[in-house]
Amino acid sequence: MEKEFIEGEVREIVYYNDDNCYCVFDLDFGKNLITCVGHIPYLTAGERVRLEGYWTSHVDYGEQFKFDNFIRTIPHKVNAIRTYLASGVIPGIREATAIKMTDLFGEETLEVIRNAPEKLTAIKGISHAKAMKMNEAFLIRQDAANTVMYFQQFGVSAKMAVKIHKKFGSLAVDLIKGNPYTLCDEISGIGFKTADRIAFQMGVAATHPGRIKSGIRHALGEAAQNGHTCYPKEKLIPYCCSLLGCDKVEIESGFSDLVLSGRIVYEKTTDYCYLTPLYNEELSVATHLLSMVGKKQKKHRFNVEAAIEECRGDIILSDKQYEAVKRACEENILIITGGPGTGKTTIINTILKIASCAGLSVSLAAPTGKAAKRLSEACQTEAKTLHRLLGLDVISENDEYTYTVDCDSPLTSDIVIVDEMSMVDLSLMSVLLKSLKNDAKLILAGDADQLPSVGAGNVLKDIISSGKFPVITLTEVFRQAQQSMIVTNAHRINSGEMPLCNIKEKDFFFMPRSSADAPATIADLCAKRLPASYSYNPLRDIQVLCPSRKGTTGTIALNATLQQYLNPPCKGKAEKKYGDTIFRTGDKVMQVKNNYNIPYTKGDTEGLGIYNGDIGIICDIDTKRSSMTVEFDDERLVEYDFAWLDELELAYALTVHKSQGCEFKAVILSVAPVAPMLCVRNLLYTAVTRAREIVVLVGNDETVFKMVSNNHVTKRYSGLPQKLSKD
């Protein structure tokens, strides 16, 4: 579709979002009044704009013009100037004042406000100070508009350009002209590749020092996205040479400058390079953990053995479980690890009972909402997400967040228990440890054989491998759990044995299908067979998992297929196309990034924050308001501006990585051939352990065999083991 240009005067603003400048407005276009949608900062009725975009047709609101670029001109005719000023565009000017100004200055009114504001004092009620404020407000708006229009030529969205202007003010354009890489260094949401593209359009040399230094930090950022907290210099320098097309001497020079300025950290003893925040977090985690293990234990207010006997009631503890509970009472820090059915929850429940009898306060937490909800149900005690426990509070213009709980205002709990510890990354662990009061106990429970955290770090394994902390490893699978083939097969897979499938009246099945036939089978299982056999809700009880996003059996293709089966289009059902995705009322979606300042409502309460991995259902799409409402599993309602839809994805099918911390009644796992790096044992093991009642593998038995046989674990570079091992 070829872009078009239209030009006219803004008649009325129908909707305007102050945060991202998304607006809906009526435009006088010839003899017609048309609806336009897009991003323009500080848009006001009376302005004249030239828009570049496409004509679209909306089912409810008819023809609209959707634009992505614009040129605005200040009105010149008296009536247009009067409308413009009367709209409240400049504080202190309303309709009566606008009439007086245009009566006195006519078509020169805006020129007077901009260049000769002292003349405004000729109007009764306008003092010199007030005139100067009007001038300042007008210039700020002009600066913002000029900034947006300048960056449009480089493909920067109006939303992002407004963010740049808010950060740098009137200096924005000159600052970026001097060093375009300031964009990726200072503006969250603009990456190195975008800044690099802009720089090349500006004619900046490939050897520009700003480019080299930003490129090195970008490379370390890529490493962090792949789970590494650091990266060896011997690998980093050659990679940056290739990435930037520069020679080693130039890269080494930029590297030295970054180290000297403190923007990166280089440890000569390990040859590890860090982004400074990650280095500080790693050092903080090591320091806090070592202080806990070395801290003298306070005398107990109770006899440990007697307390266990008194509080466990009808619970029968194995020797290992008894040891875990005893060590939890005796130690400042304890790690409990084991696979499904090995009794971690029984241990936690016993600790809760003992703490209650002893008058000790306990906080239960997990990394995700799903995991916290499951922990609450298992323990019949409130469990929070770690973000909520730590009091996530403020988000800045640059997407930096803070916590209300830290070393200056710690948690009051005597014992903090964290489940699903394999999911906790370095950054979150750093905040958790800072939040503990001096004499608090910390109990970390998890499955070390599952996939590591999505964020940087390998915290649980690093702590265990250091050998400095008490660890209880549970291996015995209890009789009740042994009745489940899900639990049995999880342990078989973890031991390198093929799962046992299709045993009559059991809960673990394999359906051989080619890659071409698998999508239809998976869709049929979701839409018909499992709901008919087990009365499952296709959206809330069944989850399709895939090793990969790509291919005919990856999440992208399967989400499109499952959407057609489970939530097809129909008359009256609202939908919104965003990029390559069509969102429709009734769709299952997942939040794919942490958004710490998005508001939600839950009954009569309000709060902030939706996190990576939260799953919900679209309950409303309001194209007039340009918003979409999602109800998440814990009944939080969130209204998304259309500009935020990059934070959501369809969730009929998820990658195994995205499913961590979740539990579903039924899991359908696509096991079609995948890339070797995804054909690994811990991925299959993690997928299987997401199911509570039913597992169905659909695909290729050879792929299952390869996964079970391949115990390769991708290395994550981390300096935490070395820091924990120091004497």
Side-chain angles (χ1 to χ4, degrees):
M1 185 185 297
E2 193 171 335
K3 285 188 177 182
E4 295 184 36
F5 292 91
I6 65 170
E7 186 173 348
E9 185 178 306
V10 177
R11 173 72 67 84
E12 181 184 358
I13 311 296
V14 178
Y15 172 78
Y16 187 81
N17 185 308
D18 287 322
D19 292 330
N20 55 34
C21 303
Y22 181 84
C23 50
V24 180
F25 58 92
D26 291 334
L27 187 79
D28 270 329
F29 181 58
K31 296 181 179 180
N32 300 316
L33 194 65
I34 62 172
T35 300
C36 302
V37 295
H39 296 267
I40 300 183
Y42 306 122
L43 184 67
T44 307
E47 289 188 90
R48 190 168 186 84
V49 292
R50 187 169 189 261
L51 309 175
E52 180 184 14
Y54 308 95
W55 290 100
T56 62
S57 182
H58 189 275
V59 64
D60 294 324
Y61 305 114
E63 194 173 48
Q64 297 180 337
F65 190 78
K66 184 177 181 180
F67 64 91
D68 46 28
N69 284 318
F70 68 89
I71 296 174
R72 69 201 301 173
T73 58
I74 298 299
H76 296 292
K77 294 182 180 179
V78 171
N79 286 339
I81 293 171
R82 187 173 291 169
T83 301
Y84 174 73
L85 293 175
S87 68
V89 61
I90 299 174
I93 301 178
R94 293 297 178 189
E95 186 174 5
T97 306
I99 292 172
K100 291 176 184 178
M101 285 183 173
T102 50
D103 284 346
L104 182 59
F105 300 113
E107 293 181 355
E108 301 297 317
T109 300
L110 297 180
E111 190 65 25
V112 169
I113 295 172
R114 176 168 42 208
N115 294 320
E118 64 278 357
K119 291 183 180 180
L120 297 175
T121 58
I123 298 172
K124 186 178 180 180
I126 300 181
S127 65
H128 184 270
K130 192 172 183 180
M132 292 302 106
K133 285 184 178 179
M134 292 175 180
N135 167 262
E136 181 182 7
F138 184 79
L139 292 178
I140 288 173
R141 293 178 63 85
Q142 288 298 102
D143 280 340
N146 292 338
T147 299
V148 172
M149 286 190 285
Y150 175 78
F151 285 109
Q152 273 184 173
Q153 65 184 305
F154 304 115
V156 176
S157 69
K159 176 183 176 182
M160 194 58 68
V162 169
K163 198 172 186 179
I164 295 168
H165 182 266
K166 285 183 178 179
K167 175 72 175 178
F168 300 119
S170 60
L171 301 175
V173 173
D174 289 338
L175 191 65
I176 302 310
K177 282 181 178 178
N179 180 10
Y181 297 95
T182 303
L183 289 171
C184 58
D185 291 340
E186 301 290 341
I187 304 295
S188 175
I190 295 185
F192 172 77
K193 291 180 180 178
T194 299
D196 207 32
R197 174 177 53 77
I198 292 170
F200 276 107
Q201 287 178 274
M202 289 180 173
V204 175
T207 55
H208 188 286
R211 179 173 188 261
I212 290 172
K213 287 185 278 191
S214 292
I216 293 169
R217 295 181 75 245
H218 168 69
L220 287 173
E222 282 186 325
Q225 289 177 353
N226 290 325
H228 307 292
T229 61
C230 52
Y231 208 64
K233 185 182 177 184
E234 66 173 3
K235 293 189 175 186
L236 177 67
I237 299 298
Y239 176 73
C240 289
C241 289
S242 173
L243 174 72
L244 301 174
C246 298
D247 63 37
K248 185 177 179 181
V249 173
E250 291 164 332
I251 301 298
E252 288 276 11
S253 176
F255 181 88
S256 297
D257 286 348
L258 286 170
V259 172
L260 287 171
S261 66
R263 303 203 72 178
I264 67 172
V265 175
Y266 175 54
E267 278 189 340
K268 288 186 179 180
T269 54
T270 59
D271 194 46
Y272 283 162
C273 311
Y274 295 80
L275 290 170
T276 300
L278 282 174
Y279 176 80
N280 292 336
E281 287 168 350
E282 191 174 273
L283 191 60
S284 174
V285 167
T287 302
H288 279 87
L289 285 172
L290 290 173
S291 72
M292 291 185 73
V293 79
K295 197 176 292 181
K296 190 174 180 181
Q297 175 67 36
K298 279 190 173 185
K299 190 174 180 180
H300 296 294
R301 294 177 242 174
F302 54 88
N303 179 286
V304 174
E305 288 81 1
I308 295 174
E309 291 301 324
E310 180 182 349
C311 293
R312 68 182 182 177
D314 296 331
I315 299 175
I316 299 174
L317 298 177
S318 69
D319 291 344
K320 207 69 173 176
Q321 288 176 314
Y322 184 93
E323 181 188 356
V325 174
K326 187 172 183 293
R327 295 292 294 276
C329 294
E330 295 171 343
E331 305 284 355
N332 289 314
I333 181 170
L334 178 69
I335 295 90
I336 303 169
T337 182
T342 55
K344 294 190 295 293
T345 303
T346 300
I347 293 169
I348 293 172
N349 272 321
T350 306
I351 294 169
L352 288 172
K353 287 184 179 181
I354 292 172
S356 178
C357 293
L360 299 173
S361 58
V362 182
S363 287
L364 282 181
T368 66
K370 281 267 191 183
K373 183 178 180 181
R374 189 172 74 248
L375 187 61
S376 292
E377 292 169 350
C379 297
Q380 295 297 298
T381 302
E382 182 188 19
K384 299 179 179 179
T385 64
L386 279 168
H387 291 97
R388 301 231 178 276
L389 178 69
L390 300 173
L392 191 76
D393 187 31
V394 178
I395 188 84
S396 75
E397 293 272 344
N398 216 30
D399 293 345
E400 295 171 343
Y401 53 92
T402 62
Y403 293 90
T404 57
V405 181
D406 57 21
C407 54
D408 295 322
S409 180
L411 293 167
T412 58
S413 308
D414 299 306
I415 304 171
V416 175
I417 302 174
V418 181
D419 196 16
E420 294 284 359
M421 256 305 295
S422 63
M423 295 182 63
V424 177
D425 62 23
L426 182 72
S427 298
L428 197 53
M429 188 64 177
S430 174
V431 179
L432 171 64
L433 291 170
K434 289 176 184 175
S435 77
L436 301 176
K437 66 178 184 176
N438 286 333
D439 59 347
K441 291 178 179 294
L442 179 62
I443 299 168
L444 308 175
D447 187 343
D449 293 316
Q450 287 193 25
L451 293 170
S453 59
V454 174
N458 205 0
V459 176
L460 180 61
K461 283 192 175 180
D462 285 349
I463 294 173
I464 293 171
S465 66
S466 73
K468 286 291 186 75
F469 306 92
V471 178
I472 299 294
T473 302
L474 305 171
T475 56
E476 180 184 353
V477 179
F478 291 92
R479 186 188 305 172
Q480 185 177 358
Q482 288 175 350
Q483 297 173 6
S484 166
M485 292 307 298
I486 297 173
V487 174
T488 298
N489 282 333
H491 287 276
R492 287 179 65 87
I493 291 166
N494 208 24
S495 300
E497 301 176 73
M498 285 289 285
L500 303 174
C501 305
N502 301 336
I503 298 174
K504 190 176 181 180
E505 298 182 358
K506 290 293 183 178
D507 52 15
F508 203 102
F509 305 96
F510 175 71
M511 300 178 70
R513 293 291 187 277
S514 68
S515 295
D517 294 336
T521 298
I522 290 170
D524 186 57
L525 284 166
C526 288
K528 298 177 181 177
R529 296 180 63 172
L530 291 181
S533 299
Y534 301 96
S535 300
Y536 287 155
N537 180 311
L539 297 185
R540 300 197 181 275
D541 297 333
I542 303 170
Q543 185 60 57
V544 175
L545 299 181
C546 313
S548 173
R549 289 173 56 84
K550 299 177 181 179
T552 57
T553 55
T555 58
I556 296 173
L558 280 177
N559 270 316
T561 299
L562 291 167
Q563 185 187 47
Q564 287 298 110
Y565 272 77
L566 299 174
N567 191 32
C570 66
K571 189 176 181 180
K573 185 179 286 187
E575 57 183 48
K576 165 66 180 175
K577 190 174 190 299
Y578 186 87
D580 295 329
T581 303
I582 295 175
F583 292 106
R584 189 173 294 133
T585 301
D587 275 339
K588 183 178 183 178
V589 293
M590 172 181 268
Q591 176 81 10
V592 294
K593 62 185 289 189
N594 289 333
N595 186 330
Y596 301 101
N597 66 336
I598 192 169
Y600 69 82
T601 58
K602 183 177 180 179
D604 296 329
T605 63
E606 297 180 350
L608 293 176
I610 299 295
Y611 306 112
N612 189 357
D614 287 348
I615 296 174
I617 306 293
I618 298 173
C619 52
D620 182 57
I621 297 176
D622 188 334
T623 50
K624 193 71 173 176
R625 285 174 50 85
S626 298
S627 68
M628 187 165 83
T629 303
V630 177
E631 181 180 1
F632 287 92
D633 285 345
D634 55 1
E635 299 180 350
R636 285 174 296 164
L637 281 173
V638 178
E639 184 176 352
Y640 287 82
D641 187 281
F642 282 168
W644 299 342
L645 296 187
D646 60 336
E647 298 185 5
L648 291 173
E649 289 182 358
L650 294 177
Y652 298 103
L654 302 175
T655 63
V656 178
H657 285 83
K658 284 290 186 185
S659 73
Q660 285 177 268
C662 298
E663 187 179 71
F664 312 96
K665 287 185 177 180
V667 164
I668 302 169
L669 177 64
S670 168
V671 286
V674 291
M677 64 181 295
L678 296 172
C679 204
V680 292
R681 184 185 300 171
N682 65 347
L683 188 142
L684 178 60
Y685 173 76
T686 300
V688 167
T689 55
R690 298 307 91 205
R692 190 162 69 241
E693 297 177 5
I694 295 287
V695 169
V696 185
L697 309 182
V698 180
N700 186 291
D701 57 357
E702 185 179 349
T703 299
V704 179
F705 177 77
K706 287 180 178 178
M707 287 178 138
V708 171
S709 303
N710 185 5
N711 198 28
H712 173 74
V713 177
T714 303
K715 180 175 177 58
R716 284 196 167 195
Y717 288 104
S718 164
L720 186 58
Q722 291 90 334
K723 291 179 176 64
L724 291 175
S725 299
K726 286 183 179 179
D727 294 326

